[in-house]
Amino acid sequence: KRLKLTVNDRAHREMEVAQELMKRDLKHVLPFLDAGQDSDSDCYFVVMPFAERDLQTEINAQGKLSEPAAVSILLDTVNGLFEVFDLVHRDLKPRNVLLHEGTWKIADFGIARFVEESTSLNTLKDCLSPPYAAPEQWNLERASHATDVYALGCIAYSLLTGKPPFQGQNPVDYKTQ
């Protein structure tokens, strides 16, 4: 994955997260194989294994999933959140849950931050996925594990109904809902 970032805090944060996660034995998080800056192009890259599909594609293909299938996917996702207990993902959504080697795994830690790390809220004001964004994100308040739990609830709703819980036409609608 070529990161669409330049040399700034977001690029360095994503590299730091990738470097930390490469040290861990993760079963429910898509592993990072390599990460860094290309000296020729000055672009940032993270290298991950190829996944079979993302959860949004699964929802689009099946509509609502059976309760047992939804529970299995949600348990994989919860286990992924436990594996990265010291991170707040901040952009958990079906497109960031990937099927890899028979397990649904969390991916795309592009705006994640370590729990203790402080981050300027302004750096993230345009980096949210409206159907899954928690109220504190809309209010430009500090994200916490509760932010990821909120998104997980929205994913659960999507799995069981085939659509996200809120059907905003634009970001203002989502914020109001």
Side-chain angles (χ1 to χ4, degrees):
K1 172 183 171 185
R2 179 174 178 238
L3 304 179
K4 297 175 182 140
L5 303 171
T6 57
V7 180
N8 62 31
D9 289 338
R10 283 179 50 199
H12 292 289
R13 183 173 47 249
E14 189 158 358
M15 290 296 104
E16 182 181 345
V17 168
Q19 294 294 333
E20 175 58 33
L21 294 184
M22 280 192 286
K23 299 174 192 172
R24 300 182 189 184
D25 180 29
L26 302 169
K27 299 192 181 354
H28 295 91
V29 172
L30 193 68
F32 289 91
L33 305 174
D34 196 8
Q37 185 177 13
D38 178 60
S39 60
D40 293 332
S41 68
D42 217 27
C43 294
Y44 289 89
F45 290 89
V46 292
V47 180
M48 300 163 287
F50 185 76
E52 297 165 41
R53 65 185 170 279
D54 66 65
L55 187 53
Q56 187 60 57
T57 300
E58 187 79 5
I59 293 168
N60 292 347
Q62 292 194 39
K64 59 184 182 177
L65 279 70
S66 69
E67 286 182 28
V71 167
S72 177
I73 292 166
L74 291 169
L75 286 174
D76 282 348
T77 307
V78 166
N79 285 326
L81 291 173
F82 279 126
E83 287 179 352
V84 291
F85 64 91
D86 56 338
L87 288 174
V88 179
H89 190 284
R90 300 195 293 186
D91 194 27
L92 193 60
K93 60 186 175 185
R95 289 253 181 248
N96 290 340
V97 178
L98 307 178
L99 185 62
H100 174 252
E101 297 179 344
T103 301
W104 291 97
K105 299 179 180 182
I106 299 173
D108 196 352
F109 289 83
I111 65 169
R113 69 165 174 77
F114 290 100
V115 173
E116 319 78 38
E117 181 181 66
S118 65
T119 303
S120 168
L121 295 169
N122 290 332
T123 63
L124 300 171
K125 65 182 176 184
D126 297 320
C127 296
L128 55 77
S129 299
Y132 303 93
E136 59 272 17
Q137 291 176 291
W138 288 108
N139 294 328
L140 298 178
E141 297 169 359
R142 185 172 176 81
S144 68
H145 288 300
T147 305
D148 291 343
V149 171
Y150 179 91
L152 184 66
C154 291
I155 291 171
Y157 185 94
S158 297
L159 290 171
L160 295 171
T161 66
K163 61 183 189 254
F166 305 108
Q167 303 295 311
Q169 298 297 312
N170 58 56
V172 173
D173 291 339
Y174 281 111
K175 182 178 180 179
T176 302
Q177 293 170 357

